[in-house]
Amino acid sequence: MVDLSINCAGIKSPNPFWLASAPPSNSAYQNCKAFEQGWGGTVWKTIGEPVMNVFNRYGGLDYNGQKIFGLNNIELISDRPIEVNLKEIAETKKLWPDRAVVVSLMVESKRETWHEVVKRTIDTGCDGIELNYGCPHGMSERGMGAAVGQVPEYCKMITEWEIEVSTIPVIVKLTPNISNIQLPARAAKAAGANAISLINTINSIIGINLDTFELKPNVGGLGGHGGYAGPAVKPIALHLLSQVAIDTEVSLPISGIGGISNWRDALEFILLGASSVQVCTAVMHYGFRIVNDMIEGLSNWMESKGFTSLDQVRGKSLPRINDFGNFDLLNRTIARIDQTKCIHCNLCYIACEDAAHQCIDLTPVNGHNKTEVREKDCVGCALCSLVCPVEGCISMVRIDDGSSSKTWNQLIADFKKSGRPLTWKALAEFQHKHGIEIH
Amino acid sequence: MKNIAPKLPIEEYEKNFADLHPPLTPNSAVAEANRCLYCYDSPCMKACPTHIDISTFIKKISTGNLLGSAKTILESNWIALTCAKACPVNILCEGACVYNEKGEKPIEIGKLQRFAMDNYFAKGMPSIFNKATKNNKSVGIIGSGPAGLACGAELSLLGYDATIYEANKIPGGLCTWGIAPYKMRREDSLKEVAMVKSFGVEIKTEMMVGKEIKVDELIKKHDAIFLGVGLGESPQLSVTGENLSGVIGALEFIEKVKTENWKDVPVGKRVAVIGAGNTSIDAATEAKRLGAEQVFIIYRRSEVEMSAYEFEYELAKKDGIVFHFLTAPKKIVGEKFVEGIECLKMRLGEPDNRGRRRPVSIPGTEFTIPVDMVIKAIGQETKSSFLGSIPNLTLDTDGCVIVDQNTFQTANPKIFAGGDCINGGKEVVNAAYDGKRAAHGIDSYLSNQTKGGN
Ligand SMILES: Cc1cc2nc3c(=O)[nH]c(=O)nc-3n(C[C@H](O)[C@H](O)[C@H](O)COP(=O)(O)O)c2cc1C
Ligand code: SF4
Ligand code: SF4
């Protein structure tokens, strides 16, 4: 077993897998059960102001018979009194000294109120505080959650109040419902936050009942926007994570969240710079037991790659994030079909024919169709290889010899230098020179 | 019969004849539909003799558009419920599913088709097809089996008056009378009959052409005729004892079973079925499920040459049917009733003109199996005398009606034909295809006539 321990802004845990602040981390019973099964840490379900939930509060997005590709909720923060929560947090931490117990907080935007709640939280003996600036529904209308996360100035001001009194690490949890995620992250940094976590849920309406016209979830005939989570949000979360991770004005440890269901997902977050990862929907779907495969899978992967610590892995893919203008326009790939693997579903054909560059030919050969790529017309977009249901059947192969390369930025600079305007004709000449024909 | 098998309790019969392949539940249907890759120009569609757009009807099941799914199916095949239950799917659509090549379980196309069609009938056959305006031309259809029904349905939507003449009291032909009850019950076939009737097709039952109505009268009465008469009797075994009580043709036996009055179908304690085609297996397993203690299948050639499908053979073995390969009946013994069957061992000689090795008897190897009943399942003959009564038909050497491959027109331009009477006995699905295509043959024939001013 490889050592999977991590240290996220001073918060230590034996593995990077934390429960996200959400229903699975609602009580001492649940958090202790999760620890028993191996979870490295928890972010306690957000505590704070008095709230009352509606009964029907979740909506699932199913896809092709697969349940919960996405999960939407209109749930509020913990609906149990703050005193009860604080007491249970203290008990839990005492029982599990080696696990990370982080407490998520959300109170009204008053300095004294924040000072008081932060002090009471620290008294539980917990390892850190997470500020919930992300909840997009119910709380934001009351000036909390996303209402703070969406305005960098508020984010900075309120974070400063916590930092003033906190003796333990403070994580700021960001909302994705903002056009530039770097602004609130920088605000948090400026206020002295110790780490960033992201993402919270995305504004969403999960669906409509076609028989009753009610929204999902339906509360006595009414519905509204909720927060979207689960596997479907992972690509959005990865992008926002990377934006914060590459921002030199931020450079804080990050706890990655959003659509993580297994160790593979978790690794992607870690490769883009996450120190710990948090999971909610996958636990809501299958229970705490999923952590067993997460730990084992990650450890086996580390072993097979020869890594001995997550420090060697963290952020490994970040240097590859770059701008479109720096991509090589002459790095040329085309699709090649392995006829021995082809099962003749013709999905590559119809995809290329109707949605790409019409360069796969269908020829009837004893009872089925043979699919063949007309290589000179293939633009290497890779759509066919994405639709092909057979692993390794269509591969994208590089056909240029690497001797020449040109990025868009270089090309523009060349034009500028020569004083020629960038026209379609001039561009076609450049392409032609490199054997590229676009019809 | 000398020894009749004791009657079973009624629940036992129902258990024995219960659905071999129970239907999918709504959940499992959607789950299975979602597995389908939605292939383009899919191999399953090509393998289906009626070319149902399978991946499209399956996708419609996955979105809950069940009516649309049934429509996609019916657009290619009017006998879709029967086909869903009786088609040898593993050598047709399911056998062609790309998942086979991928090394995974093929999509359960038959069951999905059944799911869509069951729903369509359960919903009371909502009208989903437009009928062309009547063109005041009439077509007479002989036989209400799958070919005749399909032809009638298509013609009536094209605006024709279609009348089906059926000798039996209950229509549907082999769909109603010839499919083993554990595959399909009579009521399912009758649903399809009702659907075809709802399009405006008239079915005159107990109307034997040549008896109740003369052939030339019929030809005069209608603008065109479609022959969907199927095949006739089992041929003679030509051995002594063939007329003893207890000898019966396979189809006659199966028809009795299909009345579903299980206890009224006499079956011997020990039964010999002669022949090893799919019908033989049906007859053998049905006899067993009716309570016969021992059932033997006697076949001149070996396992390899047998024409029964692999899955039918497996079913028979599971039912405990005993196979005597390389064995030919020499004589049925008994005084008044069947008491046994004397057989002769065979060996395989030179191949015949179809490439199958010819069985040759081995002298002195006679042995007798004591049985009470003999079921003849050595194929069916064409209705030669009836076909002979129709003017200007040409028949091939097997006695099948020769038709144009595209129009299904016979040598007599006014007469079209399809189904078993042109192919010598294939699947329901082939007949359904023929009938539909013939309707278009008839349509272009009659439309050209109008244009030509004849
Ligand atoms: C039902 C539900 C309730 C949630 N409640 C909270 C909350 O109280 N505080 C918070 O910071 N995030 C809350 N979240 C957001 C999650 O912590 C997490 O950021 C989000 O679900 C994305 O992770 P996932 O894709 O693993 O579910 C909640 C999410 C769900 C689905
Ligand atoms: S998508 Fe893949 S398996 Fe299907 S036809 Fe194309 S190459 Fe063959
Ligand atoms: S071949 Fe199989 S996977 Fe492809 S469309 Fe037909 S049933 Fe679906």
Side-chain angles (χ1 to χ4, degrees):
Chain A
M1 191 72 164
V2 177
D3 174 19
L4 298 179
S5 63
I6 57 117
N7 180 339
C8 180
I11 305 169
K12 293 184 187 136
S13 64
N15 64 53
F17 305 114
W18 297 0
L19 293 178
S21 172
S25 63
N26 194 47
S27 63
Y29 163 74
Q30 289 165 290
N31 284 307
C32 290
K33 186 176 175 200
F35 288 155
E36 262 160 42
Q37 304 205 6
W39 288 86
T42 186
V43 184
W44 204 277
K45 169 79 183 172
T46 309
I47 60 174
E49 297 293 328
V51 298
M52 182 165 170
N53 274 311
V54 292
F55 282 82
N56 192 19
R57 58 191 82 164
Y58 306 144
L61 177 76
D62 301 345
Y63 184 72
N64 269 2
Q66 176 79 48
K67 302 294 282 183
I68 311 192
F69 254 65
L71 178 70
N72 152 296
N73 82 90
I74 52 169
E75 183 172 290
L76 304 173
I77 62 172
S78 174
D79 53 10
R80 302 186 314 148
I82 189 163
E83 295 73 26
V84 177
N85 275 301
L86 291 171
K87 185 166 158 279
E88 290 189 9
I89 292 165
E91 287 163 5
T92 304
K93 183 64 215 178
K94 204 178 266 162
L95 281 169
W96 295 93
D98 70 322
R99 309 300 165 94
V101 177
V102 178
V103 179
S104 171
L105 297 179
M106 185 195 290
V107 291
E108 57 172 340
S109 300
K110 282 203 188 124
R111 192 172 178 186
E112 308 74 54
T113 319
W114 273 108
H115 280 181
E116 194 213 321
V117 75
V118 168
K119 287 180 191 154
R120 288 172 74 188
T121 304
I122 293 170
D123 287 343
T124 61
C126 68
D127 303 290
I129 288 172
E130 186 180 81
L131 304 175
N132 178 351
Y133 293 164
C135 187
H137 51 82
M139 305 309 293
S140 49
E141 291 88 330
R142 289 166 62 179
M144 295 174 261
V148 178
Q150 284 165 336
V151 185
E153 296 75 33
Y154 290 173
C155 179
K156 175 161 179 284
M157 177 176 76
I158 295 171
T159 307
E160 277 165 358
W161 298 340
E162 285 93 50
I163 301 293
E164 284 165 9
V165 291
S166 182
T167 54
I168 56 176
V170 172
I171 307 172
V172 172
K173 181 169 180 179
L174 299 181
T175 174
N177 300 311
I178 184 165
S179 44
N180 184 353
I181 194 80
Q182 291 175 331
L183 301 181
R186 288 174 191 170
K189 165 85 173 195
N194 306 95
I196 300 289
S197 63
L198 79 171
I199 59 174
N200 209 310
T201 54
I202 304 172
N203 272 330
S204 64
I205 286 179
I206 197 91
I208 294 174
N209 182 321
L210 299 184
D211 295 320
T212 63
F213 310 119
E214 292 158 350
L215 298 183
K216 301 176 193 176
N218 168 48
V219 187
L222 299 180
H225 75 280
Y228 192 39
V233 312
K234 188 185 81 171
I236 299 167
L238 283 174
H239 164 67
L240 295 175
L241 164 70
S242 75
Q243 290 299 294
V244 174
I246 60 172
D247 188 345
T248 48
E249 282 184 48
V250 180
S251 69
L252 286 175
I254 303 173
S255 185
I257 321 166
I260 297 170
S261 304
N262 54 45
W263 61 272
R264 293 181 165 273
D265 299 331
L267 252 173
E268 291 176 315
F269 282 73
I270 294 170
L271 288 167
L272 288 181
S275 298
S276 75
V277 293
Q278 302 183 23
V279 181
C280 166
T281 302
V283 173
M284 291 180 72
H285 196 164
Y286 300 112
F288 298 127
R289 61 198 165 124
I290 59 171
V291 77
N292 179 277
D293 174 59
M294 291 178 133
I295 294 171
E296 224 172 61
L298 179 58
S299 169
N300 289 342
W301 179 85
M302 300 261 289
E303 205 148 29
S304 73
K305 302 277 177 197
F307 295 119
T308 51
S309 145
L310 282 172
D311 292 336
Q312 298 157 355
V313 179
R314 187 177 318 107
K316 221 173 162 37
S317 294
L318 278 176
R320 295 177 184 268
I321 293 181
N322 213 311
D323 293 334
F324 181 88
N326 294 328
F327 298 165
D328 185 4
L329 298 168
L330 300 181
N331 184 316
R332 204 170 163 197
T333 54
I334 54 154
R336 212 161 264 165
I337 297 173
D338 181 346
Q339 298 294 344
T340 63
K341 288 191 178 147
C342 173
I343 61 172
H344 315 297
C345 68
N346 308 326
L347 287 169
C348 57
Y349 164 78
I350 198 65
C352 184
E353 190 67 16
D354 289 0
H357 286 255
Q358 299 79 42
C359 60
I360 296 182
D361 291 328
L362 270 194
T363 7
V365 179
N366 51 41
H368 60 250
N369 291 311
K370 184 173 180 194
T371 43
E372 258 175 318
V373 179
R374 268 195 333 278
E375 299 194 347
K376 73 173 186 13
D377 296 329
C378 175
V379 301
C381 72
L383 179 64
C384 56
S385 75
L386 300 182
V387 301
C388 178
V390 183
E391 197 61 41
C393 177
I394 302 186
S395 33
M396 301 306 301
V397 291
R398 185 164 177 191
I399 54 165
D400 71 300
D401 58 8
S403 59
S404 42
S405 81
K406 188 70 73 183
T407 70
W408 178 255
N409 289 345
Q410 289 167 339
L411 188 68
I412 296 304
D414 290 353
F415 272 106
K416 240 196 192 129
K417 214 161 62 195
S418 70
R420 284 211 304 160
L422 173 69
T423 59
W424 281 111
K425 190 161 164 274
L427 199 55
E429 276 164 24
F430 168 76
Q431 290 165 352
H432 188 73
K433 198 175 110 205
H434 294 281
I436 300 169
E437 305 290 341
I438 316 273
H439 336 262
Chain B
M1 237 176 289
K2 196 161 167 220
N3 298 299
I4 294 183
K7 302 294 165 201
L8 304 176
I10 188 80
E11 317 80 66
E12 192 82 2
Y13 287 122
E14 284 306 333
K15 201 177 110 215
N16 289 349
F17 290 109
D19 237 333
L20 212 52
H21 304 288
L24 296 170
T25 62
N27 274 338
S28 55
V30 170
E32 184 64 7
N34 277 318
R35 276 182 67 227
C36 171
L37 296 171
Y38 201 8
C39 299
Y40 176 78
D41 194 16
S42 61
C44 53
M45 176 176 82
K46 289 190 197 143
C48 171
T50 63
H51 307 307
I52 295 173
D53 188 348
I54 293 170
S55 61
T56 296
F57 97 67
I58 292 180
K59 269 303 147 197
K60 289 182 178 180
I61 292 178
S62 76
T63 69
N65 176 11
L66 293 184
L67 207 54
S69 183
K71 188 172 182 195
T72 299
I73 296 166
L74 288 168
E75 273 168 354
S76 296
N77 184 344
W78 295 115
I79 316 297
L81 181 60
T82 303
C83 287
K85 295 181 158 199
C87 267
V89 286
N90 47 0
I91 61 158
L92 296 174
C93 52
E94 293 182 17
C97 176
V98 300
Y99 270 113
N100 294 298
E101 278 197 72
K102 205 165 175 245
E104 292 174 36
K105 205 166 77 60
I107 302 294
E108 294 199 87
I109 299 170
K111 282 190 170 185
L112 286 169
Q113 179 165 319
R114 171 177 176 184
F115 181 76
M117 294 314 302
D118 275 345
N119 175 76
Y120 178 69
F121 287 114
K123 289 267 146 65
M125 307 187 291
S127 102
I128 41 179
F129 293 98
N130 295 327
K131 262 185 84 150
T133 39
K134 275 192 175 289
N135 58 20
N136 295 321
K137 286 184 195 148
S138 86
V139 179
I141 295 169
I142 308 178
S144 69
L149 287 174
C151 187
E154 194 78 9
L155 282 171
S156 114
L157 293 185
L158 287 168
Y160 291 84
D161 261 330
T163 308
I164 300 181
Y165 299 88
E166 169 57 55
N168 205 300
K169 198 165 148 190
I170 302 178
L174 282 185
C175 296
T176 300
W177 295 110
I179 298 170
Y182 45 78
K183 288 184 193 154
M184 186 173 110
R185 292 299 174 87
R186 217 166 58 175
E187 59 167 350
D188 282 328
S189 166
L190 296 181
K191 288 178 194 163
E192 281 168 335
V193 171
M195 178 186 73
V196 172
K197 274 178 155 171
S198 78
F199 297 158
V201 176
E202 192 188 348
I203 303 183
K204 292 181 190 281
T205 50
E206 295 181 276
M207 225 355 155
M208 166 92 99
V209 177
K211 209 164 127 211
E212 272 82 29
I213 179 165
K214 295 264 163 305
V215 171
D216 30 318
E217 210 178 305
L218 207 67
I219 297 180
K220 227 178 281 156
K221 193 166 161 198
H222 295 289
D223 298 298
I225 301 289
F226 175 75
L227 300 175
V229 295
L231 298 170
E233 301 291 298
S234 304
Q236 289 289 315
L237 286 170
S238 308
V239 299
T240 50
E242 200 161 351
N243 298 323
L244 290 172
S245 159
V247 180
I248 188 172
L251 281 177
E252 198 187 327
F253 173 67
I254 291 170
E255 196 167 317
K256 282 192 178 149
V257 181
K258 284 293 275 195
T259 60
E260 295 172 25
N261 300 320
W262 321 115
K263 60 181 187 352
D264 297 340
V265 187
V267 60
K269 263 191 166 173
R270 292 161 63 88
V271 179
V273 178
I274 316 288
N278 295 311
T279 307
S280 328
I281 302 238
D282 280 352
T285 53
E286 286 174 44
K288 188 77 199 238
R289 286 161 192 249
L290 280 173
E293 281 165 16
Q294 261 194 318
V295 180
F296 308 95
I297 281 185
I298 295 171
Y299 181 49
R300 297 184 296 166
R301 297 182 164 93
S302 79
E303 209 171 325
V304 184
E305 289 81 20
M306 147 171 95
S307 64
Y309 295 128
E310 185 63 33
F311 64 92
E312 298 282 16
Y313 182 35
E314 289 306 317
L315 177 72
K317 286 196 287 194
K318 228 171 76 193
D319 274 11
I321 312 294
V322 177
F323 284 79
H324 285 283
F325 291 112
L326 292 167
T327 304
K330 192 175 169 199
K331 162 163 128 198
I332 300 170
V333 288
E335 298 208 342
K336 192 155 166 262
F337 302 106
V338 173
E339 288 175 25
I341 184 158
E342 188 185 311
C343 302
L344 198 59
K345 282 292 190 194
M346 314 291 276
R347 64 176 173 80
L348 290 177
E350 294 306 303
D352 62 14
N353 52 5
R354 285 193 181 138
R356 285 204 301 185
R357 291 177 67 190
R358 210 188 297 271
V360 185
S361 56
I362 310 172
T365 57
E366 287 83 355
F367 68 105
T368 301
I369 310 171
V371 293
D372 309 297
M373 185 180 190
V374 172
I375 301 176
K376 298 187 285 181
I378 50 169
Q380 282 174 274
E381 285 177 329
T382 55
K383 290 193 164 133
S384 49
S385 65
F386 173 74
L387 295 175
S389 74
I390 298 173
N392 302 328
L393 285 191
T394 49
L395 308 181
D396 67 13
T397 48
D398 292 328
C400 296
V401 182
I402 298 177
V403 295
D404 179 278
Q405 289 212 342
N406 291 314
T407 61
F408 292 79
Q409 195 168 34
T410 66
N412 180 336
K414 202 172 166 178
I415 297 178
F416 295 73
D420 283 358
C421 71
I422 67 163
N423 62 35
K426 277 189 176 173
E427 299 296 337
V428 172
V429 66
N430 302 100
Y433 178 72
D434 292 357
K436 186 181 167 91
R437 291 298 308 270
H440 289 278
I442 292 169
D443 182 42
S444 62
Y445 165 68
L446 292 179
S447 313
N448 284 342
Q449 254 189 355
T450 320
K451 278 188 220 134
N454 295 347

